[in-house]
Amino acid sequence: MAIKRTIKRQNLVRPVAMDTSSGALAMAQATQNIANTVSNVTKFVDDNQFQDTVLKAEIAGRQIGSETITDAQGNKVPKPLDQMSLNSFTADIYNKANLRKAQQYFKKEAINSYGLSLQNHAQDVANQSYLQNEGGIDNTGKLLVQTAGESYINGIKGTVSPEVFNVISPTLSNIWGKATRKASAKQIADVKASNLFNAEKALNNMLTLEINSISNGGDASDIMY
């Protein structure tokens, strides 16, 4: 005989003004006791299913968030966490409300794991970009490191779920922001060094001309020039 789930049972047996000698009161109470027992058992089963499903969801989330792929250069990079991957968790569980809760645990762990993997990857790429470009600029005067950072972040944005990007974008911006500021400082230092070198060179040339003018009677117009 099938027993209907009774967790949300609302219409309970409530015997009122029954003749105790008829046995109806005792029968009604027995029916109520059975209903309560079934409800308690059902809740116990649901709670255990939920805890087990949450554990599986967290494990699956960490796994999918840590997956890697090989890029065109043969390097292993974090696999983009797109919407399909983010919604991929399911489980054989009766209570659909509990399943939806477990799916949220899956998403949280997946995003956290992916974010950590991507953070490490972004840091490596940003460091490499700085080492290659330092304070270099393009023909528009824009730092090469800044351009690389914008390209990297936009590339990630186009491959992951918006829900994922909203979580990870502050970290990516922070990593590339530091690299850009470092490149900017290097560019300023290079410009100062270049200006100082040119100034010293000009002064040395001036000194040479003055010495030549004094010693050999050189043309004073050379010094003016």
Side-chain angles (χ1 to χ4, degrees):
M1 178 179 68
I3 299 176
K4 187 175 181 179
R5 299 172 71 83
T6 57
I7 287 181
K8 297 181 179 179
R9 184 182 179 93
Q10 296 177 344
N11 300 320
L12 305 178
V13 178
R14 299 183 182 280
V16 179
M18 289 186 179
D19 185 351
T20 56
S21 62
S22 68
L25 183 61
M27 183 179 295
Q29 186 60 56
T31 301
Q32 181 65 63
N33 292 340
I34 293 173
N36 290 340
T37 299
V38 173
S39 178
N40 291 336
V41 170
T42 302
K43 185 176 185 306
F44 176 78
V45 172
D46 278 351
D47 288 345
N48 278 273
Q49 279 190 339
F50 176 65
Q51 296 301 326
D52 182 61
T53 303
V54 166
L55 180 60
K56 292 178 180 177
E58 290 178 336
I59 293 174
R62 295 189 193 105
Q63 290 175 339
I64 199 170
S66 302
E67 290 181 353
T68 60
I69 56 175
T70 303
D71 63 12
Q73 290 72 41
N75 302 313
K76 286 189 177 298
V77 298
K79 182 179 179 181
L81 193 58
D82 57 20
Q83 195 64 48
M84 182 177 295
S85 299
L86 204 60
N87 294 331
S88 62
F89 178 77
T90 187
D92 184 15
I93 178 173
Y94 182 89
N95 192 317
K96 301 308 178 186
N98 282 348
L99 177 58
R100 287 190 292 272
K101 291 178 184 177
Q103 288 170 337
Q104 293 304 312
Y105 281 93
F106 169 79
K107 285 185 177 183
K108 180 181 178 181
E109 291 298 329
I111 293 174
N112 287 343
S113 295
Y114 175 71
L116 181 59
S117 297
L118 191 63
Q119 175 181 334
N120 295 334
H121 181 262
Q123 188 65 66
D124 289 342
V125 175
N127 290 341
Q128 184 178 2
S129 178
Y130 174 75
L131 290 175
Q132 290 178 345
N133 300 304
E134 294 188 335
I137 57 177
D138 58 21
N139 54 8
T140 66
K142 191 173 184 178
L143 288 166
L144 296 174
V145 171
Q146 181 180 356
T147 301
E150 292 173 353
S151 177
Y152 182 92
I153 294 176
N154 288 334
I156 295 298
K157 184 177 182 179
T159 58
V160 302
S161 162
E163 184 178 356
V164 175
F165 186 76
N166 289 339
V167 176
I168 65 176
S169 60
T171 299
L172 296 182
S173 296
N174 183 50
I175 290 172
W176 281 101
K178 289 180 179 179
T180 299
R181 289 190 294 274
K182 188 176 180 180
S184 178
K186 184 67 169 63
Q187 197 263 345
I188 292 173
D190 289 344
V191 169
K192 287 183 177 180
S194 177
N195 289 341
L196 178 60
F197 173 78
N198 290 331
E200 290 177 344
K201 182 178 179 181
L203 288 173
N204 288 333
N205 289 337
M206 180 70 73
L207 179 60
T208 299
L209 290 173
E210 288 181 345
I211 293 174
N212 182 59
S213 176
I214 295 171
S215 301
N216 306 316
D219 191 349
S221 62
D222 290 340
I223 300 177
M224 293 178 63
Y225 175 76

